[in-house]
Amino acid sequence: MTEPTVLILMGSDSDLSTMEETTKVLSEFGVPYEIHVSSAHRSPVKTAKLASEAAGRGIQVIIAAAGMAAHLAGVIAAETTLPVIGVPMTGGALNGVDALYAMVQMPGGIPVGTMAIGKAGAKNAGLFAVQILSLAAPELRAKLVSYKTKMAEEVEQKDQALQVSRRG
């Protein structure tokens, strides 16, 4: 089995249904990953260890999903020099807006690339990780080109179907 290059951390197991969007993308591109539940608040020692040891284990990108206070991505970013991608989860009193603000308002020096709230953000986190990895992997770059070409073709097919139905 190929060693993982992407580490996905979730603050809660309730985030899994959303983060499956990330795992689908990584699997589609053949990118090996590992996934864990680890909370910045409830299991800080485990979280720090996963983040600080990731590079030494061959991880190249970390994706962190959390809701509400959403400190997970920032705690991870403080423990590593690897790129960290944050995915704010829906829920809580502000339906994910609080998590989004927590991730995008990191202090200077501790960057977290932050995606949209929820499933779209989880999918884009996977794609962004693939884009980062593709800088050193031409085969991934080629798969990204094919992926974008396929998306454009699907849009064109939908437009053609629309045009036919409007004429009819």
Side-chain angles (χ1 to χ4, degrees):
M1 182 177 169
T2 307
E3 293 297 316
T5 55
V6 175
L7 171 61
I8 302 168
L9 298 176
M10 304 175 295
S12 170
D13 63 344
S14 64
D15 301 334
L16 182 58
S17 63
T18 299
M19 294 311 292
E20 285 175 340
E21 296 299 316
T22 304
T23 65
K24 286 179 197 173
V25 169
L26 295 175
S27 294
E28 179 180 346
F29 281 90
V31 173
Y33 64 89
E34 65 180 57
I35 187 166
H36 296 274
V37 174
S38 191
S39 169
H41 303 112
R42 295 181 297 269
S43 57
V45 173
K46 176 183 178 182
T47 299
K49 182 176 177 168
L50 283 165
S52 65
E53 294 178 355
R57 296 186 305 105
I59 298 296
Q60 296 177 42
V61 179
I62 300 175
I63 299 172
M68 299 171 72
H71 292 137
L72 184 61
V75 166
I76 291 166
E79 294 285 346
T80 186
T81 58
L82 295 173
V84 176
I85 303 168
V87 181
M89 296 289 104
T90 58
L94 300 177
N95 201 29
V97 174
D98 47 351
L100 174 67
Y101 285 162
M103 289 181 193
V104 299
Q105 294 296 335
M106 291 301 300
I110 309 295
V112 171
T114 305
M115 300 294 115
I117 299 168
K119 288 190 176 195
K123 180 177 183 176
N124 282 343
L127 286 166
F128 195 50
V130 171
Q131 288 177 322
I132 292 167
L133 295 169
S134 77
L135 294 172
E139 70 280 1
L140 281 180
R141 198 169 321 120
K143 287 180 181 181
L144 280 166
V145 170
S146 294
Y147 179 87
K148 288 192 172 206
T149 299
K150 181 181 174 191
M151 279 195 312
E153 289 169 353
E154 289 171 356
V155 169
E156 186 57 31
Q157 289 170 359
K158 290 175 183 179
D159 182 52
Q160 288 176 6
L162 173 66
Q163 298 311 312
V164 167
S165 72
R166 301 286 294 166
R167 282 188 226 123

